[in-house]
């Protein structure tokens, strides 16, 4: 039996090998949550990705030519099926019409970057919670044993 390759997940992983994000922040927009993150390549800031939370597409603002080099990288990725994108983004099965495979475009790149920024922030929050729990647990043990 042949295993189906999810080109969207594969492409996303390749993007995240080259680019990284920091500085994730959110706010309430007119039609949902807005978000912004700074995009880096080779440790250097190259631009921002932003979802204004007003119902439009995610946008990107370049501050260096490297940001536009992203499209050259996207052009090397295999086309992906929309249903794979939908499943990854929303956790649901796409029940619309079958569509042809799509090429990677900058607005999808921006989606990937914002998703990764949100994941990074959640992971950091969980790490901080665990560190605080460990610290408090150790502190209580020391207090019970009479040492500081």
């Amino acid at each position: 039996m042949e295993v189906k390759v999810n080109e969207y997940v594969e492409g996303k992983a390749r993007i995240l090998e080259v680019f990284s994000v920091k500085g994730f922040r959110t706010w309430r927009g007119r039609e949902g949550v807005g978000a912004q993150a700074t995009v880096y390549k080779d440790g250097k800031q190259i631009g921002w990705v932003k979802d204004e939370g007003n119902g439009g597409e995610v946008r990107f603002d370049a501050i260096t030519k490297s940001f536009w080099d992203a499209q050259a990288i996207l052009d090397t990725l295999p086309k992906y099926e929309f249903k794979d994108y939908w499943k990854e983004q929303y956790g649901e099965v796409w029940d619309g019409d079958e569509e042809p495979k799509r090429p990677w475009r900058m607005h999808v790149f921006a989606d990937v970057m914002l998703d990764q920024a949100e994941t990074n922030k959640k992971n950091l929050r969980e790490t901080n919670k665990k560190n605080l729990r460990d610290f408090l647990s150790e502190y209580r043990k020391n207090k019970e044993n009479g040492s500081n």
Side-chain angles (χ1 to χ4, degrees):
M1 185 169 119
E2 188 175 320
V3 176
K4 181 188 173 299
V5 174
N6 183 328
E7 288 95 354
Y8 179 78
V9 171
E10 183 180 287
K12 182 176 175 178
R14 288 178 52 194
I15 289 168
L16 295 174
E17 288 174 2
V18 178
F19 299 94
S20 60
V21 287
K22 295 180 186 174
F24 182 69
R25 66 184 195 94
T26 60
W27 60 89
R28 189 165 62 180
R30 284 181 272 179
E31 293 187 25
V33 176
Q36 178 175 316
T38 307
V39 179
Y40 293 80
K41 181 180 178 200
D42 300 325
K44 295 178 183 166
Q45 181 180 353
I46 62 168
W48 297 272
V49 289
K50 187 176 194 178
D51 179 346
E52 294 181 349
N54 295 328
E57 285 188 343
V58 174
R59 67 176 227 200
F60 39 92
D61 296 316
I63 61 172
T64 71
K65 184 182 176 303
S66 295
F67 198 83
W68 297 109
D69 291 343
Q71 186 61 55
I73 293 169
L74 297 179
D75 290 341
T76 68
L77 300 177
K79 292 181 178 181
Y80 63 92
E81 293 186 40
F82 182 74
K83 64 182 179 180
D84 292 336
Y85 165 82
W86 189 268
K87 176 82 171 164
E88 183 76 11
Q89 286 293 106
Y90 303 106
E92 301 172 354
V93 175
W94 171 250
D95 60 358
D97 294 337
E98 190 68 27
E99 297 191 17
K101 289 187 174 185
R102 296 176 175 210
W104 286 84
R105 296 291 176 242
M106 290 300 287
H107 70 278
V108 180
F109 169 81
D111 274 341
V112 168
M113 294 289 94
L114 282 177
D115 289 347
Q116 187 61 40
E118 185 175 19
T119 298
N120 291 351
K121 187 171 186 174
K122 286 178 184 175
N123 290 344
L124 180 61
R125 189 177 301 127
E126 289 304 312
T127 299
N128 289 342
K129 284 180 185 178
K130 181 187 179 312
N131 289 344
L132 180 59
R133 282 192 301 268
D134 292 349
F135 171 78
L136 290 174
S137 174
E138 190 67 30
Y139 175 79
R140 289 182 186 123
K141 282 184 205 173
N142 289 340
K143 192 171 182 178
E144 289 171 4
N145 293 334
S147 62
N148 290 338

